[in-house]
Amino acid sequence: MAWNEPGGGNRDPWGSNQGGPGNQGGPPDLDEIVRKLQERVSGLFGGKGSSSGGGGGGGPSAVDLSLKTIGVILAGVFVVWLFTGIYIIDPAERGVVLRFGAYVKTTAPGPHWHIPWPIERVEVVNVDEISSFSHKAAMLTRDENIVDVELTVQSRIQDASNYLFQDQAPMKTLRDATETVVRKTIGGAKLDFILTEGRSAVAAMIQQGIQSLMDEYKTGLLVTSVNMQPAKPPEQVKDAFDDAIKAREDKERLENKAEAYANEILPQARGEAARAIANAKAYRDQVVASAEGETSRFNAIRTQFEKAPEVTRERLYLETIESVLTGSNMVLIDVPQGNSLMYLPLDQIMRNQTAKVAQPRTSMLDGPDSNQYNAPPTTSQIRDVSRDRSSR
């Protein structure tokens, strides 16, 4: 008969009489329940149940020992469970902590701890690994020419959380973005620019465009480099393009040669021009100085002429005749009458002429007080000497 059926005797599920004198209608004894469970388990395995009367040793009961053992085991299991939350992130990695599948934080390299599974788990992502792929396609340029373009894109993970959760396939998104940016960039440039000096500039623009799309889509990827191979024309028109490139190279070579010649000849021409200008300035200064000297001399003569016109006129005449006859060895004697044979001190005259050449010239510019004894004999003096000798 079940315990809760009529006539069950007010027994509880464990077989005790709730209205009995030993229970007094109170709650069931937990120790007694555990003891009965142990007895039943021991009976199942052939053991003997412990007597409720027990020995009189007064030691701890089996129930107490079992509870302590279970507590120690549970404590050990809990400690081991806590230790499973320790993890170490390498320098090239980042740890993404998830709590019940939701992002919590990103941990840096080093030892860390998280709440063990199944509450939290850690996704380790390598952020230093470089991934690369090649892209090759035929593009239409701005000037309606077709060119074959080949480039290699290298990337790495920059943001581990965005890489794991913001985009389902970041690498596929990177490939699609590369194709889009390459077509846009090549389509906006001319063929000559792509084939010659614009290759590095085109690669830089492509890298910048791809990175802009990666940031917009939050893929967590960083484009480290875009290496663009030399663009090539299609095979059908390769010979014509080679001829055009050769003509362009010849043009550059001739331009460089002309520039080198210009750099060589221009400094020489500038030097000659500077030398001619310096000579002209020197000649100008010389002429101006000579003219100023002649002007000063003329003004001085004019002053003397205003003071004594006759004397100045005579002196100018004599100086002019003297300058004309200085280089002549002929001696002119004016003898109106008498014997033309006379003695002249020719040696003294010649010495005076030599001394005159060696000494500075004396003119009227020196004034009336100049030393006239150092001057050579003039024609009038020679004439006076001749007259004196003839009168004798």
Side-chain angles (χ1 to χ4, degrees), residues 302-336:
R302 186 186 63 179
T303 302
Q304 298 296 328
F305 181 79
E306 291 176 353
K307 293 180 179 179
E310 296 296 334
V311 176
T312 304
R313 186 180 296 111
E314 182 68 18
R315 184 64 182 268
L316 290 175
Y317 171 78
L318 295 177
E319 288 180 355
T320 303
I321 296 300
E322 181 182 0
S323 63
V324 172
L325 299 177
T326 298
S328 177
N329 295 327
M330 184 181 296
V331 179
L332 299 179
I333 301 175
D334 184 9
V335 181

Side-chain angles (χ1 to χ4, degrees), residues 76-317:
V77 171
F78 181 74
V79 171
V80 173
W81 180 73
L82 291 178
F83 271 98
T84 59
I86 298 175
Y87 66 99
I88 298 176
I89 301 298
D90 294 334
E93 299 174 340
R94 296 293 184 273
V96 180
V97 181
L98 307 178
R99 184 176 299 164
F100 298 114
Y103 171 75
V104 177
K105 62 180 178 179
T106 301
T107 56
H112 301 278
W113 181 85
H114 70 93
I115 301 176
W117 185 88
I119 299 176
E120 289 183 353
R121 63 187 179 91
V122 178
E123 292 283 347
V124 179
V125 180
N126 191 338
V127 297
D128 284 351
E129 182 180 2
I130 300 296
S131 300
S132 63
F133 67 92
S134 299
H135 179 78
K136 182 178 181 181
M139 304 288 178
L140 186 65
T141 62
R142 175 181 170 184
D143 49 358
E144 299 181 355
N145 288 312
I146 298 177
V147 62
D148 292 334
V149 178
E150 182 179 0
L151 52 86
T152 302
V153 179
Q154 294 182 343
S155 64
R156 65 176 180 85
I157 299 175
Q158 183 181 20
D159 192 322
S161 61
N162 289 342
Y163 178 78
L164 292 177
F165 305 112
Q166 294 297 332
D167 196 302
Q168 185 177 5
M171 297 306 299
K172 183 178 182 302
T173 303
L174 178 60
R175 291 177 179 272
D176 296 341
T178 300
E179 183 175 359
T180 300
V181 174
V182 169
R183 291 190 178 278
K184 179 181 178 182
T185 305
I186 299 299
K190 292 185 177 181
L191 181 62
D192 291 341
F193 181 74
I194 298 173
L195 293 179
T196 56
E197 74 276 2
R199 187 178 66 179
S200 58
V202 169
M205 288 188 292
I206 292 174
Q207 180 178 355
Q208 184 178 1
I210 296 174
Q211 186 61 53
S212 178
L213 290 179
M214 293 297 98
D215 296 340
E216 183 178 354
Y217 296 151
K218 296 182 180 180
T219 58
L221 294 176
L222 175 65
V223 181
T224 58
S225 65
V226 173
N227 300 320
M228 183 175 177
Q229 303 298 326
K232 298 179 295 182
E235 293 295 334
Q236 294 80 356
V237 294
K238 187 176 183 300
D239 295 337
F241 273 87
D242 292 341
D243 293 339
I245 293 175
K246 183 178 180 181
R248 186 182 298 109
E249 292 177 352
D250 293 340
K251 174 187 174 184
E252 293 178 356
R253 180 175 55 82
L254 294 176
E255 288 178 351
N256 294 334
K257 184 177 180 180
E259 185 177 358
Y261 176 74
N263 293 333
E264 179 182 358
I265 200 66
L266 284 179
Q268 183 179 358
R270 291 192 184 100
E272 293 178 357
R275 182 168 61 251
I277 292 173
N279 293 336
K281 289 182 178 179
Y283 176 74
R284 179 196 64 186
D285 295 339
Q286 180 181 1
V287 172
V288 170
S290 178
E292 291 176 352
E294 293 293 334
T295 302
S296 300
R297 181 173 178 274
F298 177 78
N299 292 333
I301 295 175
R302 186 186 63 179
T303 302
Q304 298 296 328
F305 181 79
E306 291 176 353
K307 293 180 179 179
E310 296 296 334
V311 176
T312 304
R313 186 180 296 111
E314 182 68 18
R315 184 64 182 268
L316 290 175
Y317 171 78

Side-chain angles (χ1 to χ4, degrees), residues 7-41:
N10 294 328
R11 291 181 301 173
D12 56 17
W14 294 274
S16 61
N17 190 357
Q18 295 181 0
N23 199 340
Q24 301 296 329
D29 189 1
L30 183 61
D31 294 340
E32 184 67 19
I33 294 172
V34 173
R35 183 182 63 79
K36 289 182 178 182
L37 289 175
Q38 289 179 346
E39 289 178 356
R40 291 181 180 181
V41 171

